[in-house]
Amino acid sequence: MNQEEKEHIFLFSIDLEDVRLRVKNGLSYRARVEELVEDYLSFLNTYNAKATFFTVGDIPKHYPSLIKTIVAEEHEIACHSNMHIPVTSQTQEEFREDVCRNKEHLYNAGAIELLGYRAPTYSVTKSTPWFFDVLSDLGFRYSSSVLPAKNPLYGWEGFGECPKKMSNDLWEIPVSLRKGSIFKVPFSGGVYFRFLPFYLIKKSFEFHFKKNKAVTSYFHPYDIDLKQERFMHPEINDRWVYNQLMYYNRKGVFPRLKKVMEMFEPTIMTYKSYIELLNGR
Ligand SMILES: [Zn+2]
């Protein structure tokens, strides 16, 4: 790649999961994932862009044709665990077993080549030193599982914010963080993308692009869902305030994304294409 051109690279990814499946009586709520994926696909098509869908193993069971739909449009399918259990809550053997099931379900549903893995809730820390060895052993080429700062949930302070080669040439591509404040937060997805004032989002994209750093992201189906019933989301320890944030400004996601596209004209890229670029440098 020509460094002088300062191409703005935006690694667009969706953590493809159905949160209903992790809450009590969840199946009594509307099944929304297919329609929401269509909304993301339509957004991506506007820019003729390809993205990475980090997909949980139980998705094909509930939406049997969804993987094929995504693959048919030439987007990348990658793994996001089978049961969405944080890596820190598993033994090495349990983790390996979970990833194998995840792969099996996705391949059976039509995935073609699974090269990437994202840990649920970026739950890879110093306490899981075997994590990269297991992924590499199972044939993965990259991971996007580290939040390289202190964080209320997980986080690996000191990991560094650039892509790094780990076990056997497997790349870790940590999530992009907002700079210049006490708290470093992953601004480019989830709650933070919806909640932070837009000028901070804009500044964060600008900061990365000026330094020729790719911006990574992690959107979810629920981030854009305006029709889902309200329920307590999983993995937030029943905190009411945080649950309010799970529903905050969902209608703002696409308008904000469109503004980012207009302002910076980034190249949206899959993680798979990005590691090819990194390996070629
Ligand atoms: Zn997830």
Side-chain angles (χ1 to χ4, degrees):
M1 177 187 164
N2 183 352
Q3 293 284 332
E4 300 305 313
E5 282 178 11
K6 293 216 169 192
E7 187 180 13
H8 299 159
I9 296 177
F10 186 11
L11 301 178
F12 198 91
S13 71
I14 289 112
D15 290 359
L16 183 46
E17 56 197 65
D18 186 348
V19 285
R20 293 179 315 147
L21 305 176
R22 307 202 299 277
V23 302
K24 205 177 169 195
N25 300 324
L27 289 176
S28 64
Y29 302 116
R30 287 183 208 112
R32 299 276 307 131
V33 168
E34 258 167 344
E35 189 180 320
L36 300 165
V37 166
E38 285 296 341
D39 291 343
Y40 278 118
L41 293 176
S42 144
F43 165 78
L44 291 161
N45 279 338
T46 311
Y47 300 97
N48 197 22
K50 303 301 173 197
T52 301
F53 288 77
F54 291 99
T55 307
V56 173
D58 56 16
I59 283 288
K61 186 176 163 195
H62 296 273
Y63 307 95
S65 61
L66 193 54
I67 302 297
K68 282 186 182 142
T69 304
I70 296 167
V71 168
E73 297 204 19
E74 297 174 13
H75 298 282
E76 179 188 10
I77 300 287
C79 290
H80 186 42
S81 84
N82 198 45
M83 301 293 284
H84 211 274
I85 297 166
V87 178
T88 43
S89 305
Q90 293 173 306
T91 64
Q92 182 172 344
E93 289 68 31
E94 286 166 346
F95 171 70
R96 173 186 279 268
E97 181 64 19
D98 183 86
V99 179
C100 289
R101 292 289 80 76
N102 188 189
K103 283 178 79 171
E104 190 184 324
H105 291 318
L106 297 183
Y107 276 131
N108 287 343
I112 294 167
E113 192 183 32
L114 298 167
L115 300 178
Y117 181 89
R118 170 168 293 157
T121 57
Y122 289 102
S123 55
V124 172
T125 68
K126 278 179 196 162
S127 69
T128 54
W130 37 261
F131 172 78
F132 296 107
D133 291 337
V134 174
L135 286 187
S136 160
D137 195 42
L138 292 175
F140 289 93
R141 303 287 309 284
Y142 74 88
S143 150
S144 174
S145 304
V146 172
L147 195 162
K150 263 190 190 165
N151 183 270
L153 278 175
Y154 297 98
W156 186 334
E157 204 179 8
F159 181 88
E161 295 176 23
C162 293
K164 207 187 256 188
K165 268 194 178 175
M166 309 302 289
S167 174
N168 290 326
D169 287 348
L170 175 132
W171 286 96
E172 168 58 35
I173 304 168
V175 67
S176 300
L177 299 176
R178 179 169 95 79
K179 304 290 187 299
S181 62
I182 304 164
F183 298 108
K184 291 183 169 184
V185 296
F187 66 94
S188 50
V191 169
Y192 296 107
F193 187 80
R194 289 183 277 114
F195 179 71
L196 290 173
F198 185 72
Y199 79 92
L200 291 179
I201 300 284
K202 181 190 152 201
K203 277 182 76 161
S204 303
F205 273 92
E206 198 170 57
F207 179 90
H208 282 76
F209 290 151
K210 267 190 181 164
K211 296 201 163 197
N212 209 22
K213 284 181 168 178
V215 172
T216 72
S217 63
Y218 62 104
F219 294 93
H220 306 84
Y222 64 74
D223 281 319
I224 56 164
D225 194 352
L226 307 180
K227 295 181 186 166
Q228 185 78 77
E229 301 93 333
R230 292 220 164 203
F231 50 76
M232 183 60 74
H233 273 236
E235 295 146 3
I236 54 171
N237 303 325
D238 289 332
R239 285 172 297 184
W240 183 83
V241 173
Y242 205 74
N243 203 51
Q244 294 299 102
L245 291 177
M246 301 308 285
Y247 290 88
Y248 183 82
N249 194 25
R250 290 179 172 190
K251 66 181 185 309
V253 171
F254 282 129
R256 285 181 163 208
L257 279 170
K258 282 172 190 161
K259 273 197 227 172
V260 167
M261 295 306 292
E262 278 163 26
M263 284 173 175
F264 302 106
E265 298 183 343
T267 303
I268 293 182
M269 200 179 270
T270 62
Y271 282 66
K272 180 188 166 204
S273 303
Y274 184 58
I275 59 154
E276 281 166 11
L277 202 67
L278 291 175
N279 285 331
R281 277 181 185 169

